Coordinates of all heavy atoms in Angstrom, one line a residue:
V1 N -7.2 18.1 -62.3 CA -6.0 18.9 -62.0 C -5.8 19.1 -60.5 O -4.7 19.1 -60.0 CB -6.1 20.2 -62.8 CG1 -5.0 21.2 -62.4 CG2 -6.0 20.0 -64.3
L2 N -6.9 19.5 -59.8 CA -6.8 19.7 -58.4 C -6.4 18.5 -57.7 O -5.6 18.5 -56.7 CB -8.1 20.2 -57.9 CG -8.5 21.7 -58.3 CD1 -9.9 22.0 -57.8 CD2 -7.5 22.7 -57.8
C3 N -6.9 17.3 -58.1 CA -6.5 16.1 -57.4 C -5.0 15.8 -57.6 O -4.3 15.4 -56.7 CB -7.3 14.9 -58.0 SG -9.0 14.9 -57.4
I4 N -4.5 16.0 -58.9 CA -3.1 15.8 -59.1 C -2.2 16.8 -58.3 O -1.2 16.4 -57.7 CB -2.8 16.0 -60.6 CG1 -3.5 14.9 -61.4 CG2 -1.3 16.0 -60.9 CD1 -3.3 15.1 -62.9
W5 N -2.7 18.1 -58.3 CA -2.0 19.1 -57.5 C -1.9 18.7 -56.0 O -0.9 18.7 -55.4 CB -2.7 20.4 -57.6 CG -2.1 21.6 -56.9 CD1 -1.1 21.6 -56.0 CD2 -2.5 23.0 -57.1 NE1 -0.8 22.9 -55.6 CE2 -1.7 23.7 -56.3 CE3 -3.5 23.6 -57.9 CZ2 -1.8 25.1 -56.2 CZ3 -3.6 25.0 -57.8 CH2 -2.7 25.7 -57.0
L6 N -3.1 18.3 -55.4 CA -3.1 17.9 -54.0 C -2.3 16.6 -53.8 O -1.6 16.5 -52.8 CB -4.6 17.6 -53.6 CG -4.8 17.2 -52.2 CD1 -4.3 18.3 -51.2 CD2 -6.3 16.9 -51.9
G7 N -2.3 15.7 -54.8 CA -1.5 14.5 -54.6 C 0.0 14.8 -54.6 O 0.8 14.2 -53.8
L8 N 0.5 15.7 -55.5 CA 1.9 16.0 -55.5 C 2.3 16.7 -54.2 O 3.4 16.4 -53.6 CB 2.2 16.9 -56.7 CG 2.1 16.3 -58.1 CD1 2.3 17.3 -59.2 CD2 3.2 15.2 -58.2
S9 N 1.5 17.6 -53.7 CA 1.8 18.4 -52.5 C 1.8 17.4 -51.3 O 2.7 17.5 -50.5 CB 0.8 19.5 -52.2 OG 0.8 20.5 -53.2
L10 N 0.9 16.5 -51.2 CA 0.9 15.5 -50.1 C 2.1 14.6 -50.2 O 2.6 14.2 -49.2 CB -0.4 14.7 -50.2 CG -1.7 15.4 -49.8 CD1 -2.9 14.5 -49.9 CD2 -1.6 16.0 -48.4
A11 N 2.5 14.2 -51.4 CA 3.7 13.4 -51.6 C 4.9 14.1 -51.1 O 5.8 13.5 -50.4 CB 3.9 13.0 -53.0
L12 N 5.1 15.4 -51.4 CA 6.2 16.1 -50.9 C 6.2 16.3 -49.3 O 7.2 16.2 -48.7 CB 6.3 17.5 -51.5 CG 6.6 17.5 -53.0 CD1 6.6 18.9 -53.6 CD2 8.0 16.8 -53.3
V13 N 4.9 16.5 -48.8 CA 4.8 16.6 -47.4 C 5.2 15.3 -46.7 O 5.9 15.3 -45.7 CB 3.4 17.0 -47.0 CG1 3.1 16.9 -45.5 CG2 3.1 18.4 -47.4
L14 N 4.8 14.2 -47.3 CA 5.1 12.9 -46.7 C 6.6 12.7 -46.8 O 7.2 12.2 -45.8 CB 4.4 11.8 -47.5 CG 4.7 10.4 -47.1 CD1 4.3 10.1 -45.6 CD2 4.0 9.4 -48.0
W15 N 7.3 13.1 -47.9 CA 8.7 13.0 -48.0 C 9.4 13.8 -46.9 O 10.4 13.3 -46.3 CB 9.1 13.5 -49.4 CG 10.6 13.2 -49.8 CD1 11.5 12.5 -49.0 CD2 11.3 13.7 -50.9 NE1 12.7 12.5 -49.7 CE2 12.6 13.2 -50.8 CE3 10.9 14.5 -52.0 CZ2 13.6 13.6 -51.7 CZ3 11.9 14.8 -52.9 CH2 13.2 14.3 -52.8
L16 N 9.0 15.0 -46.7 CA 9.5 15.8 -45.7 C 9.4 15.2 -44.3 O 10.3 15.2 -43.5 CB 8.9 17.2 -45.7 CG 9.3 18.1 -46.9 CD1 8.5 19.4 -46.9 CD2 10.8 18.5 -46.8
A17 N 8.2 14.7 -44.1 CA 7.9 14.1 -42.7 C 8.8 12.9 -42.5 O 9.4 12.7 -41.4 CB 6.4 13.7 -42.6
L18 N 8.9 12.0 -43.5 CA 9.8 10.9 -43.4 C 11.3 11.3 -43.2 O 12.0 10.6 -42.4 CB 9.7 10.0 -44.7 CG 8.3 9.2 -44.8 CD1 8.3 8.5 -46.1 CD2 8.1 8.3 -43.7
G19 N 11.6 12.4 -43.9 CA 13.0 12.9 -43.7 C 13.3 13.3 -42.3 O 14.3 13.1 -41.7
I20 N 12.3 14.0 -41.7 CA 12.5 14.5 -40.4 C 12.5 13.4 -39.4 O 13.4 13.3 -38.5 CB 11.3 15.5 -40.0 CG1 11.4 16.8 -40.8 CG2 11.3 15.8 -38.5 CD1 10.2 17.7 -40.7
I21 N 11.7 12.4 -39.6 CA 11.7 11.2 -38.7 C 13.0 10.4 -38.8 O 13.6 10.0 -37.8 CB 10.5 10.2 -39.0 CG1 9.2 10.9 -38.7 CG2 10.6 8.9 -38.3 CD1 8.0 10.2 -39.2
H22 N 13.5 10.3 -40.1 CA 14.8 9.6 -40.3 C 15.9 10.4 -39.6 O 16.8 9.8 -39.0 CB 15.0 9.5 -41.8 CG 16.3 8.9 -42.1 ND1 16.6 7.6 -42.2 CD2 17.5 9.6 -42.5 CE1 17.9 7.4 -42.6 NE2 18.4 8.6 -42.7
W23 N 15.9 11.7 -39.8 CA 17.0 12.5 -39.2 C 17.0 12.4 -37.7 O 18.0 12.3 -37.0 CB 16.8 13.9 -39.7 CG 17.6 14.9 -38.9 CD1 18.9 15.0 -38.8 CD2 17.1 16.0 -38.2 NE1 19.3 16.0 -38.0 CE2 18.2 16.7 -37.6 CE3 15.8 16.5 -37.9 CZ2 18.0 17.8 -36.8 CZ3 15.6 17.6 -37.1 CH2 16.7 18.2 -36.6
R24 N 15.8 12.5 -37.1 CA 15.7 12.5 -35.6 C 16.1 11.1 -35.1 O 16.8 11.1 -34.0 CB 14.3 12.8 -35.2 CG 13.9 14.3 -35.4 CD 12.5 14.5 -34.8 NE 12.1 15.9 -34.9 CZ 12.5 16.9 -34.1 NH1 13.2 16.6 -33.0 NH2 12.1 18.2 -34.2
A25 N 15.8 10.1 -35.8 CA 16.2 8.7 -35.3 C 17.7 8.6 -35.5 O 18.4 8.0 -34.6 CB 15.5 7.7 -36.2
A26 N 18.3 9.1 -36.6 CA 19.7 9.0 -36.8 C 20.5 9.8 -35.8 O 21.6 9.3 -35.3 CB 20.1 9.4 -38.2
R27 N 20.0 10.9 -35.3 CA 20.7 11.8 -34.4 C 20.9 11.1 -33.1 O 21.9 11.4 -32.4 CB 20.0 13.1 -34.2 CG 20.1 14.1 -35.3 CD 19.5 15.4 -34.9 NE 20.2 16.0 -33.8 CZ 19.9 17.2 -33.3 NH1 18.9 17.8 -33.7 NH2 20.6 17.7 -32.3
R28 N 20.1 10.1 -32.7 CA 20.3 9.5 -31.4 C 21.6 8.7 -31.3 O 22.1 8.5 -30.2 CB 19.1 8.5 -31.1 CG 17.7 9.3 -31.0 CD 16.7 8.4 -30.5 NE 15.3 9.0 -30.5 CZ 14.4 8.8 -31.4 NH1 14.7 8.0 -32.4 NH2 13.3 9.4 -31.4
S29 N 22.0 8.2 -32.5 CA 23.3 7.4 -32.5 C 24.5 8.3 -32.8 O 25.6 7.7 -32.8 CB 23.2 6.3 -33.6 OG 23.0 6.9 -34.9
W30 N 24.4 9.6 -33.0 CA 25.5 10.4 -33.3 C 26.1 10.9 -32.0 O 25.5 11.1 -31.0 CB 25.1 11.6 -34.1 CG 24.6 11.3 -35.5 CD1 24.7 10.1 -36.1 CD2 23.9 12.2 -36.4 NE1 24.1 10.2 -37.3 CE2 23.6 11.4 -37.5 CE3 23.5 13.5 -36.3 CZ2 22.9 12.0 -38.6 CZ3 22.8 14.0 -37.4 CH2 22.5 13.3 -38.5
D31 N 27.4 11.1 -32.0 CA 28.2 11.6 -30.9 C 28.1 13.1 -30.8 O 28.3 13.8 -31.9 CB 29.7 11.1 -30.9 CG 29.8 9.6 -30.9 OD1 29.0 9.0 -30.2 OD2 30.7 9.1 -31.5
R32 N 27.9 13.6 -29.7 CA 27.8 15.1 -29.5 C 29.1 15.5 -28.8 O 29.4 15.1 -27.7 CB 26.6 15.5 -28.7 CG 26.5 17.0 -28.5 CD 25.2 17.4 -27.9 NE 24.1 17.1 -28.9 CZ 22.8 17.5 -28.8 NH1 22.5 18.1 -27.6 NH2 22.0 17.3 -29.7
V33 N 29.9 16.3 -29.6 CA 31.3 16.6 -29.1 C 31.5 18.1 -29.3 O 30.7 18.8 -29.9 CB 32.4 15.8 -29.8 CG1 32.2 14.3 -29.6 CG2 32.4 16.2 -31.3
T34 N 32.5 18.6 -28.6 CA 33.0 20.0 -28.8 C 34.2 20.0 -29.7 O 35.2 19.4 -29.3 CB 33.3 20.7 -27.5 OG1 32.1 20.7 -26.7 CG2 33.7 22.1 -27.7
L35 N 34.1 20.5 -30.9 CA 35.2 20.5 -31.9 C 35.6 21.9 -32.2 O 34.9 22.7 -32.7 CB 34.7 19.8 -33.2 CG 35.7 19.3 -34.2 CD1 36.6 18.2 -33.6 CD2 35.0 18.8 -35.4
D36 N 36.9 22.2 -31.8 CA 37.5 23.5 -32.0 C 36.6 24.6 -31.3 O 36.4 25.7 -31.9 CB 37.6 23.8 -33.5 CG 38.6 22.8 -34.2 OD1 39.4 22.3 -33.5 OD2 38.4 22.7 -35.4
G37 N 36.1 24.2 -30.2 CA 35.3 25.2 -29.4 C 33.8 25.3 -29.8 O 33.1 26.2 -29.3
I38 N 33.4 24.4 -30.8 CA 32.0 24.5 -31.3 C 31.3 23.2 -31.0 O 31.9 22.1 -31.3 CB 32.0 24.8 -32.8 CG1 32.7 26.2 -33.1 CG2 30.6 24.8 -33.3 CD1 32.8 26.5 -34.5
D39 N 30.1 23.2 -30.5 CA 29.4 22.0 -30.2 C 28.8 21.4 -31.6 O 28.1 22.1 -32.3 CB 28.2 22.2 -29.3 CG 28.7 22.6 -27.9 OD1 29.8 22.2 -27.5 OD2 28.0 23.3 -27.1

C-alpha cells in the first residue's frame, strides 16, 4: 500500500513538473503586450 501511495504521489509530482517545464517553454514564444492598460 505504501509503495502504491508513493508511486501515485510521485506520478502527480512528475506531472506537475512536466507541466511547469512545458508552460515555461511555451511562454518564451508568447507576445507580451499591454491590453486595455493591463500587461
Side-chain angles (χ1 to χ4, degrees):
V1 170
L2 289 177
C3 288
I4 294 175
W5 184 348
L6 182 60
L8 290 174
S9 295
L10 289 177
L12 291 179
V13 170
L14 179 61
W15 188 11
L16 288 169
L18 290 176
I20 293 173
I21 295 173
H22 173 85
W23 163 62
R24 289 185 178 276
R27 283 189 64 181
R28 297 191 185 101
S29 61
W30 295 347
D31 296 327
R32 180 167 294 187
V33 302
T34 300
L35 197 62
D36 300 334
I38 300 175
D39 294 334

